[in-house]
Amino acid sequence: MTAPVLDYDEVIERFDPVLGLEVHVELNTNTKMFCGCPTAFGAEPNTQVCPVCLGLPGSLPVLNGKGVESAIRIGLALGCDIAEWCRFARKNYFYPDMPKNFQTSQYDEPIAYNGVLNLELADGSVVEVGIERAHMEEDTGKSLHVGGATGRIHGAAHSLLDYNRAGVPLIEIVTKPITGTGARAPEVARAYVTALRDLLRALDVSDVRMDQGSLRCDANVSLMPRGTTEFGTRTETKNVNSLRSVERAVRYEMTRQAALLTDGGTVLQETRHFDEGTGTTSAGRRKETSEDYRYFPEPDLVPIAPSGEWVDKLRATLPEMPWQRRKRIQEEWQLSDLELRDLVNAGAVELVASTVDAGAAPAEARAWWVNYLAQEANSRGVELGELPITPAQVARVAALVSGGSLTNKLAREVVDGVLAGEGEPDEVVAARGLAVVSDDSALHAAIDEALAAQPDVADKIRGGKVQAAGAIVGAVMKATKGKADAKRVRELILERCT
Ligand SMILES: [Zn+2]
């Protein structure tokens, strides 16, 4: 059953949306937050567990120092204050994927609070998003519900549990309420998660793979009638796992809530699931309040009191921030504001930068990613970075072109081959026989043949009509199946006819 929705323009005429975004990021530490178990993704179920992360009686947690370090660096990068003293708290709830019966988290004493992240929208305008807090916690295990149609617990015959992820360090980053975005709320939500992902990647604290769940977004959405200031009841759409889905989920929730409110109904405070296939959300569980969790300070872990000296040391490790990097790249590559924006909107800045680092000229790297590959990503419905080609491979193709081994046309075929999983660029060139015919004697043979086939054209060239050579170049290119360098062919034709 699909809920009624209100036309989007009408939503905006009648209501102001309020967003609150909670992003969970899994840190890329080698071991879990409170034990020595490895954190690698994709291992056999329940092979990365121990008494601590299984919550067995008598086991005691030991805090992962690297996890705290990453948390502080994230806080600093977001311009947050770092707590001089804070504690972990037990968040009590029973869920089968949480073997301890509680989650070790932080409650009213987060390690970082009160920051800001600036987002640039597609048209270049900037939105400032306040950061409420960033706190440390641990991930839960994973459940797999078998036998139902939807993969959810309802209708399932049985469920399987994998505790490998239980205890993996998580940082939860929570925004302050985001107001005043109007019709652009869905775009702002997406831009926020994008900016945060870029920042976390620059910090090298996580592999930020939304498709593998190492970056997950919960989108809180509510509406208030235009001209009023009191927030409406919000819903929380959980674990949205792609940038595009974040945008779609927010938009859908706005139209669904608006239809309810316009019809005199009320929005229930609840969690919701986003369905990628239909682009709609469905009700999850009624939202608990913090009282339900009976938070209390974690008695098995000592408080954390990062010294000012340590925090300063960590501050000195912060890398160039994505926005600083963009500014520098714009200057170095001499891009106009519009060119830079195209690059940013295509999600190509880091990819192009890496391609340049791998040896390609900036203009060529840009052309590959923003033109050819962006089209390919678009037609596959994936993000640019998800295409099965690396910056190093693009740089290799560009090098083959600039070295004269490939024409632009052949280079596109090589890229197609890499995308099709045929291996490295050089392997594709060899397997598909794509190298430019650079052997002059082979070209001479083709030229002589073309001249013999079109004697009138040959006479014109010999008579000094240089522009007539185009027809012979065309014939040679055709004979070599486009594998000749047209410029070289032209030179050889003119040599031949003088
Ligand atoms: Zn463990």
Side-chain angles (χ1 to χ4, degrees):
M1 190 188 71
T2 333
V5 293
L6 197 67
D7 176 69
Y8 193 72
D9 290 337
E10 210 172 319
V11 176
I12 300 308
E13 252 169 56
R14 295 181 182 213
F15 299 98
D16 282 321
V18 179
L19 295 174
L21 300 166
E22 297 172 17
V23 167
H24 285 91
V25 57
E26 270 183 10
L27 298 179
N28 58 1
T29 52
N30 293 326
T31 54
K32 294 186 181 180
M33 196 62 172
F34 304 110
C35 63
C37 290
T39 54
F41 180 82
E44 281 290 304
N46 299 308
T47 55
Q48 299 174 347
V49 292
C50 74
V52 174
C53 53
L54 287 176
L56 299 187
S59 63
L60 284 171
V62 177
L63 183 58
N64 183 331
K66 181 85 192 291
V68 180
E69 198 176 290
S70 294
I72 294 175
R73 291 178 74 238
I74 291 170
L76 289 171
L78 289 167
C80 290
D81 296 328
I82 304 300
E84 289 174 16
W85 190 92
C86 67
R87 286 179 294 189
F88 282 97
R90 285 192 184 184
K91 183 180 183 181
N92 295 276
Y93 65 99
F94 174 75
Y95 220 65
D97 58 11
M98 265 238 320
K100 298 196 300 188
N101 242 4
F102 61 85
Q103 182 184 30
T104 307
S105 180
Q106 293 196 285
Y107 179 45
D108 50 356
E109 299 164 344
I111 185 129
Y113 54 93
N114 200 24
V116 70
L117 183 62
N118 286 312
L119 331 171
E120 198 174 313
L121 301 186
D123 67 352
S125 57
V126 173
V127 175
E128 186 183 291
V129 172
I131 303 294
E132 176 82 34
R133 56 192 276 150
H135 72 248
M136 298 179 283
E137 57 183 37
E138 59 180 333
D139 213 341
T140 60
K142 268 187 201 167
S143 31
L144 180 69
H145 306 296
V146 184
T150 57
R152 288 171 49 191
I153 196 162
H154 304 285
H158 63 280
S159 298
L160 299 169
L161 288 161
D162 174 9
Y163 292 122
N164 282 353
R165 200 179 66 177
V168 167
L170 276 188
I171 306 295
E172 178 174 336
I173 301 160
V174 183
T175 66
K176 295 176 181 173
I178 306 168
T179 58
T181 57
R184 309 181 78 168
E187 185 191 352
V188 167
R190 179 183 180 143
Y192 171 76
V193 180
T194 308
L196 193 54
R197 182 196 62 177
D198 293 348
L199 180 65
L200 295 166
R201 187 180 282 148
L203 288 167
D204 192 22
V205 290
S206 168
D207 61 4
V208 289
R209 291 277 301 265
M210 290 190 90
D211 58 329
Q212 292 184 355
S214 56
L215 184 74
R216 313 192 285 268
C217 177
D218 300 341
N220 289 274
V221 178
S222 67
L223 296 178
M224 47 188 186
R226 278 223 117 158
T228 63
T229 52
E230 198 182 323
F231 293 176
T233 304
R234 67 194 160 86
T235 61
E236 181 181 357
T237 304
K238 302 288 284 181
N239 294 334
V240 188
N241 63 5
S242 78
L243 295 172
R244 188 164 158 264
S245 296
V246 170
E247 187 168 359
R248 292 170 76 207
V250 168
R251 190 183 169 98
Y252 175 79
E253 265 305 283
M254 287 168 66
T255 59
R256 186 191 68 87
Q257 292 183 15
L260 262 177
L261 295 170
T262 307
D263 202 34
T266 51
V267 174
L268 294 177
Q269 186 175 340
E270 62 189 359
T271 64
R272 297 189 67 87
H273 300 279
F274 180 67
D275 182 319
E276 304 259 348
T278 59
T280 62
T281 64
S282 57
R285 58 178 202 274
R286 290 296 290 274
K287 185 66 181 165
E288 300 87 351
T289 60
S290 56
E291 287 81 19
D292 294 327
Y293 291 125
R294 294 171 294 114
Y295 280 102
F296 64 85
E298 168 59 56
D300 287 344
L301 288 163
V302 292
I304 304 154
S307 69
E309 201 186 345
W310 188 35
V311 173
D312 286 343
K313 227 168 111 187
L314 292 174
R315 196 190 307 274
T317 69
L318 293 184
E320 182 180 38
M321 294 295 154
W323 51 90
Q324 295 164 335
R325 184 172 169 83
R326 263 170 231 156
K327 210 170 155 51
R328 178 173 61 78
I329 280 173
Q330 179 174 21
E331 281 164 16
E332 280 181 15
W333 301 351
Q334 302 182 328
L335 304 179
S336 68
D337 287 348
L338 188 66
E339 284 168 331
L340 179 70
R341 209 178 300 149
D342 282 346
L343 208 58
V344 172
N345 292 345
V349 175
E350 293 309 318
L351 294 165
V352 173
S354 303
T355 308
V356 172
D357 289 344
E364 274 161 31
R366 252 174 66 215
W368 276 113
W369 288 106
V370 178
N371 302 331
Y372 196 67
L373 291 167
Q375 267 175 29
E376 184 63 29
N378 201 27
S379 70
R380 293 182 183 211
V382 299
E383 303 289 331
L384 201 49
E386 291 167 17
L387 285 176
I389 188 166
T390 64
Q393 289 169 328
V394 173
R396 177 62 188 152
V397 173
L400 290 171
V401 174
S402 60
S405 307
L406 289 177
T407 61
N408 283 324
K409 180 169 167 290
L410 292 173
R412 284 194 286 274
E413 284 187 51
V414 175
V415 167
D416 291 344
V418 174
L419 289 171
E422 293 168 25
E424 292 298 316
D426 290 283
E427 291 166 344
V428 177
V429 169
R432 291 198 181 192
L434 293 176
V436 164
V437 179
S438 54
D439 173 6
D440 282 356
S441 63
L443 293 177
H444 277 139
I447 289 167
D448 289 344
E449 213 166 289
L451 288 170
Q454 303 184 64
D456 49 331
V457 180
D459 285 342
K460 278 187 193 160
I461 303 172
R462 289 194 188 99
K465 283 205 163 172
V466 180
Q467 62 273 34
I472 305 298
V473 174
V476 173
M477 294 305 285
K478 202 171 163 194
T480 55
K481 299 201 172 66
K483 286 189 251 167
D485 174 3
K487 200 167 143 247
R488 179 70 188 142
V489 171
R490 192 182 174 81
E491 284 168 9
L492 292 176
I493 293 169
L494 296 180
E495 270 173 31
R496 211 70 172 159
C497 295
T498 49

